[in-house]
């Protein structure tokens, strides 16, 4: 027979496992969007006549998605995901890469607002430089 007290202990564990799954899903979705949006921003900046309104919209979205991933790595949320548990052993390093990405998105946005192609490109490159480095250290291959 299952004792009542065992249920009381098990319930919060179930609840937190579920919220971790939601967190993992939301950060994976956010990263998917980031990938698409970075491509869009690259194409827009590549063209001879930059469509600034479009670029501004894309950079605003990048900042929103960046903010989501920044807050989507609670301690130990590597189950059912490709995040390595090493993230939390080297949190300072992981976080600094993450904020470099966000900093890049912010610069991209500033550049888009002031229609400064150089600044926008610099921001985009700063952000894009972090993708592979971080994946190499903190994302598993499966
Ligand atoms: C600070 C580390 C870090 C940075 C920077 C980073 N990523 Fe990731 N990325 C991850 C981790 C960790 C995962 C695995 C997340 C998971 O499975 O929960 C991931 C997953 C992804 C995924 C797969 C989502 C899925 O459905 O599995 C894509 C696409 C992606 N990142 C694109 C990018 C792009 C594009 C950039 C750069 C603009 C970037 N990432 C920057 C750490 C990072």
């Amino acid at each position: 027979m299952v004792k009542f007290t065992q249920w009381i202990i098990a319930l919060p564990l179930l609840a937190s496992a579920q919220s971790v799954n939601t967190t993992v899903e939301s950060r994976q979705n956010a990263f998917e969007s980031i990938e698409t949006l970075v491509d869009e921003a690259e194409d827009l900046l590549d063209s001879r006549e930059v469509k600034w309104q479009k670029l501004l919209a894309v950079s605003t979205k990048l900042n929103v998605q960046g903010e989501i991933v920044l807050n989507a790595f609670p301690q130990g949320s590597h189950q059912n995901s490709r995040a390595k548990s090493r993230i939390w052993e080297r949190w300072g390093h992981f976080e600094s890469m993450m904020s470099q990405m966000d900093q890049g998105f912010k610069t991209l946005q500033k550049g888009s607002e002031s229609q400064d192609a150089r600044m926008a490109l610099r921001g985009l490159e700063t952000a894009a430089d972090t993708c592979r480095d971080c994946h190499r250290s903190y994302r598993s291959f499966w």
Side-chain angles (χ1 to χ4, degrees):
M1 199 184 93
V2 182
K3 280 196 210 125
F4 182 63
T5 47
Q6 281 176 325
W7 280 105
I8 291 183
I9 291 161
L11 275 174
L13 287 178
L14 284 175
S16 76
Q18 189 161 36
S19 77
V20 165
N21 283 339
T22 319
T23 304
V24 168
E25 229 172 84
S26 75
R27 76 184 173 216
Q28 288 176 343
N29 289 337
F31 274 127
E32 293 284 354
S33 309
I34 287 173
E35 186 165 67
T36 312
L37 291 163
V38 163
D39 283 349
E40 282 176 32
E42 273 169 1
D43 287 348
L44 284 164
L45 271 169
D46 252 356
S47 76
R48 242 197 286 158
E49 197 122 352
V50 178
K51 297 192 177 79
W52 291 106
Q53 286 312 312
K54 274 199 177 156
L55 187 62
L56 185 58
V58 169
S59 16
T60 305
K61 286 185 200 160
L62 276 169
N63 277 284
V64 172
Q65 300 302 323
E67 199 66 36
I68 292 176
V69 290
L70 194 62
N71 296 304
F73 284 93
Q75 178 102 35
S77 59
H78 55 278
Q79 285 106 336
N80 302 321
S81 92
R82 291 174 68 188
K84 289 188 182 171
S85 55
R86 230 168 125 194
I87 288 172
W88 297 278
E89 285 155 27
R90 301 181 56 194
W91 180 253
H93 183 238
F94 182 82
E95 204 181 30
S96 72
M97 281 181 152
M98 194 69 100
S99 40
Q100 190 189 323
M101 181 179 77
D102 273 341
Q103 217 43 58
F105 291 157
K106 286 205 177 88
T107 307
L108 170 65
Q109 175 138 15
K110 258 201 205 151
S112 313
E113 277 161 4
S114 50
Q115 309 203 343
D116 179 339
R118 243 190 212 191
M119 190 196 285
L121 195 62
R122 181 158 51 82
L124 187 59
E125 278 171 355
T126 302
D129 278 350
T130 64
C131 317
R132 209 194 309 161
D133 279 351
C134 187
H135 293 162
R136 202 163 39 200
S137 311
Y138 298 111
R139 187 173 71 161
S140 65
F141 287 105
W142 55 266

